Amino acid sequence: NEQDTLLQGPQMGLHLASYRTESAAQTGWDNLNSKFTNELQGLSPVIRRVNLGHRLFRAEDGTGVSAHP
């Protein structure tokens, strides 16, 4: 049984897009990274599951984001 991650405290990152599935989010990140290589250079992808009344998977830059178990 999956649980949504609750993030506490200030978070830094760049929300690039939201997708309906985790695999679509990964593909989306790959596509964005291919199209915007210079702009996304050095950023680390984080695919995060969020629940905003419905489940989404966000493709985000994880640089500087603290991880919470």
Side-chain angles (χ1 to χ4, degrees):
N1 188 7
E2 292 184 36
Q3 294 181 350
D4 291 333
T5 301
L6 176 61
L7 300 177
Q8 299 174 354
Q11 301 296 313
M12 298 289 293
L14 176 64
H15 175 199
L16 298 173
S18 295
Y19 302 89
R20 296 210 180 264
T21 66
E22 186 173 4
S23 62
Q26 184 60 57
T27 300
W29 172 271
D30 294 341
N31 291 339
L32 288 169
N33 196 35
S34 293
K35 188 173 182 178
F36 300 104
T37 303
N38 291 333
E39 293 83 355
L40 299 179
Q41 182 178 5
L43 302 183
S44 302
V46 171
I47 306 301
R48 187 179 315 281
R49 179 182 167 193
V50 296
N51 189 343
L52 304 173
H54 57 282
R55 184 183 304 164
L56 293 174
F57 292 85
R58 288 182 172 168
E60 302 177 342
D61 157 51
T63 306
V65 175
S66 59
H68 296 277

